[in-house]
Amino acid sequence: GGLADAIGRKPVALAAHSFLLLANVVFLLAFSFYAYLAAYVLLGIGRALSSGALDAWFIDKLLEHDPNYNLQPPLAYAETFGTLGLALGALAGGIVPQLFSYLPAEGNTIVTPLSMTFIASIGVRIIAMLMIAFYVKEVRDDARDTLNTAFTPRKLGFILADALNLSRKSQLVLLLLAGSLVASLALMSVETFWQPQFATLTEGTPNSLLFGTLMTLGFLMGTVGNLASIRLSRLFKQRHGFVAALSQGLAAISILVMAYQTRFLPAAGLFCWYYLSLGTGNAPVAAIFNREIPSNRRSSMQSILSLAGYSGSFLGSFVLGIIAHTYNVSTAWLITGIVLLMSSLLYVRAEQLKQDPLSTSTISAEPTR
């Protein structure tokens, strides 16, 4: 994010996709633990570089036309397209191995039914890079940046220090960071454990087509949730914090009930309901967050929000992984649901602060020297 604020969102986004493309190539060629480790390192670098780059460009383009633009609807539409892409990817991940089932599944070869998903992903990644290169138009105005100097490592340090300082000064931003951490913990808990848990509900026989279809339905419900958030925000008179709190609470309830299901169909229905609830909260949180931060630090602050999310993902996979291994997945989901339900109060408080500007610090775009 700091790099994107310093040298431009477009070049950093292209660099991110380059690393992600290279990660897919290494995955395709990997035949050892260390090769997979290298692929995951490249994947992590690519995801880190991508955090906040195009999001900041998109939001700044909207605000260029109208500084008072209601960000929630366009952010909801953007989330809808992103989630739709996830749905199509999940469906393709279930179908592609079936289409190439005649290929050898084992052996020292890069062409197997499962590896064809990586080959398809490489093609899609190249298309994405071409779209960014041709369609993302960015005019850098260094005068807007109060540092007003050429890029140096010292300038990047100033930008990063600035972003951390801005996060610390705003109680509202801190609440949103905490909410993102817990939401990502819950998401990682669901996405890590649902397949082994659901396999026990289908007589222990995981099926890539069945699971791919269910994941697709979950993401499609997420798109419905994103679109529903527009109407919910209108219903709540743009009190986005209350919409986010409702979303977090409904997602928590779905996890709590799903933890005790013994049949596949009810569990699958709750799984889809979780993604519906998750979708309703994304754009309202993003709208609050982006109204609170300055344009020239938008990518940096987006990366800090992403960092909070990845911290929650780490806790979700590591701590809850230990709990699931020691006890069972149901226990891990029970703990997840309780924590997620309690975290909905963070967004209630955030809305109270948003409605009372005197109770929260106003973020300044002036940099730390």
Side-chain angles (χ1 to χ4, degrees):
L3 280 173
D5 282 337
I7 66 175
R9 281 73 187 259
K10 181 175 180 176
V12 172
L14 286 172
H17 279 270
S18 298
F19 275 100
L20 294 171
L21 176 64
L22 186 57
N24 276 341
V25 173
V26 176
F27 269 124
L28 181 64
L29 303 176
F31 288 98
S32 70
F33 169 79
Y34 291 105
Y36 278 106
L37 181 62
Y40 270 105
V41 169
L42 292 169
L43 184 66
I45 294 172
R47 285 184 172 178
L49 287 171
S50 68
S51 66
L54 289 182
D55 301 60
W57 171 82
F58 176 67
I59 293 163
D60 283 343
K61 283 293 182 182
L62 292 173
L63 295 179
E64 277 180 13
H65 296 284
D66 181 3
N68 297 316
Y69 199 95
N70 181 8
L71 294 174
Q72 195 276 328
L75 287 173
Y77 289 128
E79 286 280 354
T80 298
F81 277 93
T83 309
L84 184 60
L86 290 172
L88 293 173
L91 183 61
I95 292 175
V96 169
Q98 302 291 332
L99 293 177
F100 294 92
S101 59
Y102 59 87
L103 294 173
E106 298 178 357
N108 207 25
T109 176
I110 63 171
V111 182
T112 67
L114 287 178
S115 73
M116 292 303 294
T117 59
F118 288 103
I119 294 174
S121 181
I122 289 170
V124 173
R125 184 72 63 188
I126 292 172
I127 294 172
M129 294 177 69
L130 290 173
M131 293 180 69
I132 293 171
F134 286 104
Y135 291 108
V136 174
K137 308 296 183 184
E138 181 181 34
V139 178
R140 296 291 296 171
D141 182 7
D142 289 338
R144 288 189 308 169
D145 195 322
T146 51
L147 290 174
N148 197 25
T149 58
F151 173 74
T152 63
R154 187 182 180 191
K155 178 179 178 179
L156 178 59
F158 278 139
I159 290 174
L160 297 179
D162 233 17
L164 292 171
N165 189 46
L166 297 179
S167 301
R168 179 183 57 81
K169 285 169 57 179
S170 172
Q171 185 182 354
L172 179 55
V173 168
L174 289 174
L175 288 169
L176 297 178
L177 293 176
S180 177
L181 186 149
V182 177
S184 295
L185 181 149
L187 178 62
M188 182 57 65
S189 173
V190 172
E191 293 197 340
T192 299
F193 304 131
W194 79 268
Q195 291 197 37
Q197 180 74 348
F198 281 29
T200 65
L201 306 180
T202 55
E203 299 179 351
T205 55
N207 181 294
S208 67
L209 183 58
L210 175 64
F211 285 3
T213 302
L214 179 56
M215 190 77 255
T216 301
L217 290 174
F219 286 141
L220 287 175
M221 292 301 288
T223 66
V224 174
N226 279 306
L227 294 174
S229 71
I230 300 174
R231 289 189 174 274
L232 279 173
S233 293
R234 290 173 185 164
L235 181 64
F236 281 84
K237 298 181 179 179
Q238 305 306 322
R239 293 184 176 91
H240 300 311
F242 292 155
V243 177
L246 176 64
S247 166
Q248 203 100 314
L250 291 175
I253 292 171
S254 67
I255 294 174
L256 288 169
V257 180
M258 188 167 61
Y260 291 101
Q261 295 306 305
T262 58
R263 292 182 297 168
F264 178 80
L265 286 180
L270 288 162
F271 180 80
C272 291
W273 179 260
Y274 167 76
Y275 277 94
L276 173 69
S277 304
L278 186 67
T280 60
N282 291 332
V285 171
I288 300 173
F289 186 78
N290 282 286
R291 278 295 176 191
E292 187 69 6
I293 59 180
S295 173
N296 66 341
R297 296 294 176 264
R298 196 177 305 282
S299 287
S300 306
M301 297 296 290
Q302 290 277 358
S303 280
I304 288 178
L305 184 65
S306 176
L307 177 62
Y310 274 106
S311 299
S313 297
F314 172 80
L315 291 173
S317 58
F318 182 71
V319 177
L320 294 174
I322 294 175
I323 294 172
H325 178 72
T326 305
Y327 300 98
N328 50 50
V329 172
S330 295
T331 302
W333 278 352
L334 177 63
I335 294 171
T336 299
I338 293 172
V339 173
L340 189 64
L341 187 61
M342 294 173 62
S343 74
S344 62
L345 297 176
L346 295 170
Y347 293 123
V348 174
R349 179 57 180 159
E351 182 59 37
Q352 292 172 343
L353 289 175
K354 186 166 72 75
Q355 297 297 325
D356 182 11
L358 296 178
S359 66
T360 183
S361 300
T362 300
I363 286 189
S364 168
E366 287 299 315
T368 303
R369 293 284 181 181

